[in-house]
Amino acid sequence: EVATPRNPSEEEVADNFAFAFDIDGVLVRGGNPIPEAIEAMKMLNGENEYGIRVPYIFLTNGGGKTEAERCGDLSKQLELEVSPGQFICGHTPMRELVDKYRGAVLVIGGEGEKCRHVAEGYGFKDVITPGDIIKANSHVAPFRKLTEAEHANSRDLLLRGDLSDIVIEAVFVFADSRDWASDLQIILDVAMSKGGRLETRSETFDEGPPIYFSHSDIVWSAAHEHVRLGMGALRRIVETVFSDVTGGKELITHAFGKPQVGTFEFATRLLQKWRATQHGLVDSSPPDTVYFVGDTPESDVRGTNAMDAKSDNEWYSILVKTGVYEEGTEPAYKPRATVNTVLDAVRHGIDREM
Ligand code: G3P
Ligand code: MG
């Protein structure tokens, strides 16, 4: 018997499965929704032949804005309410490092002051940006001139004494660099410093602070017909050039985001909370299956499959053809299913369950 969809509040909630979505290349491309995404969301919200609502979360490697602001954007793009309670971006898990680094941290990437605000919102107390450093010493980046607004918004580090009085405890690349040359220079300066102390040079090049990237995607799916370079490309450049300028020393940096299993475990905890608060499902029982819909084999499929191998419940990878993955090529990591669009992915999951 097929139930007719009723008032959403009266619809049944699927308690044994859930969905998780990548954003760029699956739901959105270049700031615009992929048309099938809007219908896919409606289908999850009860507009399906079974009249069930299916819990879902979003897990993107993107970032550069607060989770609340990103959810505001996504709500408009998908024409439905998206809550920070169901949303993880590349830098979200970094907030768990707040207690580890209580001093100065260097935050890289994003528009204007947005990433500083994100970091401060997570609780980092002393957030320094490349703009602050260039404002204090313009010779740091010979070809970068701060705009008037950047100059005005940057902090005045010299009020604290010399730049060499400041010790960077960790570097966080929160979002894509808007000026690769000066950001690369400043990351390398800190990596080559004496224990993170600005304007100093180590003699051994093995005492710089840890460097965290919010993900490691070499490419991603934006508005252009071909994929665009992403943060992972900057990470590779940082590591390679560090070796070049230090006579062959190795720099080991850290990445959050997909495909790290830790990010999927973070997602599991969020999904548990979301199922409980939004759908009234018991906090302690995870869904039997989580369908993860992504467009990038190296991040989405790889991470989902690794999580599936590690966890008690099933993580089922679905690859779509609207983003990084190109039809006709062999994906480096094999999904459980490959479909055209996110709408087909949702149908696939629901049909497999019902
Ligand atoms: O910069 C964002 C991009 O690398 C990937 O975003 O949503 O496809 O994980 P997403
Ligand atoms: Mg993607």
Side-chain angles (χ1 to χ4, degrees), residues 117-157:
H117 296 144
V118 172
E120 288 173 348
Y122 289 167
F124 290 104
K125 295 278 178 300
D126 187 7
V127 180
I128 292 176
T129 66
D132 301 344
I133 293 172
I134 296 169
K135 180 173 177 169
N137 180 0
S138 63
H139 300 317
V140 164
F143 304 120
R144 170 91 192 275
K145 196 156 172 34
L146 296 184
T147 63
E148 258 175 53
E150 284 170 338
H151 196 272
N153 291 331
S154 293
R155 293 172 65 192
D156 213 339
L157 299 180

Side-chain angles (χ1 to χ4, degrees), residues 22-25 59-62 176 215 217 219-220 258 295-296 300:
D22 172 59
I23 295 181
D24 290 310
L59 179 52
T60 177
N61 274 351
D176 286 300
H215 66 84
D217 290 346
V219 294
W220 64 297
K258 300 166 289 181
D295 69 309
T296 306
D300 302 318

Side-chain angles (χ1 to χ4, degrees), residues 324-339:
V324 169
Y325 168 70
E326 274 178 50
E327 189 163 16
T329 62
E330 194 55 37
Y333 295 87
K334 307 279 172 289
R336 298 283 294 277
T338 303
V339 299

Side-chain angles (χ1 to χ4, degrees), residues 1-45:
E1 192 193 337
V2 176
T4 0
R6 291 151 292 178
N7 176 332
S9 58
E10 293 169 10
E11 282 157 2
E12 231 181 278
V13 176
D15 63 354
N16 56 336
F17 71 107
F19 275 81
F21 295 97
D22 172 59
I23 295 181
D24 290 310
V26 172
L27 302 169
V28 174
R29 216 169 142 167
N32 293 313
I34 289 173
E36 289 84 356
I38 294 165
E39 214 185 311
M41 294 297 124
K42 287 185 183 157
M43 189 172 276
L44 290 173
N45 283 311

Side-chain angles (χ1 to χ4, degrees), residues 142-279:
F143 304 120
R144 170 91 192 275
K145 196 156 172 34
L146 296 184
T147 63
E148 258 175 53
E150 284 170 338
H151 196 272
N153 291 331
S154 293
R155 293 172 65 192
D156 213 339
L157 299 180
L158 296 178
L159 293 176
R160 297 155 66 156
D162 290 334
L163 278 185
S164 59
D165 293 335
I166 297 173
V167 177
I168 301 294
E169 291 186 6
V171 178
F172 292 101
V173 184
F174 265 32
D176 286 300
S177 168
R178 300 314 199 250
D179 190 80
W180 286 45
S182 57
D183 285 350
L184 174 63
Q185 179 71 65
I186 288 168
I187 295 170
L188 287 174
D189 280 340
V190 172
M192 291 191 290
S193 68
K194 281 188 203 295
R197 191 171 290 281
L198 292 178
E199 307 266 276
T200 63
R201 270 290 181 272
S202 167
E203 280 153 28
T204 51
F205 299 125
D206 57 3
E207 51 176 320
I211 302 175
Y212 299 96
F213 288 81
S214 63
H215 66 84
S216 47
D217 290 346
I218 305 274
V219 294
W220 64 297
S221 174
H224 197 277
E225 63 168 312
H226 300 300
V227 292
R228 300 291 88 192
L229 292 178
M231 188 187 295
L234 180 65
R235 183 182 181 208
R236 289 286 277 271
I237 294 170
V238 166
E239 292 181 347
T240 305
V241 178
F242 180 87
S243 173
D244 290 336
V245 293
T246 58
K249 292 273 177 174
E250 191 186 8
L251 179 70
I252 294 170
T253 64
H254 312 276
F256 280 77
K258 300 166 289 181
Q260 309 298 324
V261 171
T263 299
F264 285 83
E265 288 167 342
F266 192 95
T268 302
R269 299 196 287 276
L270 186 92
L271 182 59
Q272 284 303 94
K273 256 188 236 150
W274 179 249
R275 276 162 45 94
T277 55
Q278 181 70 10
H279 298 286

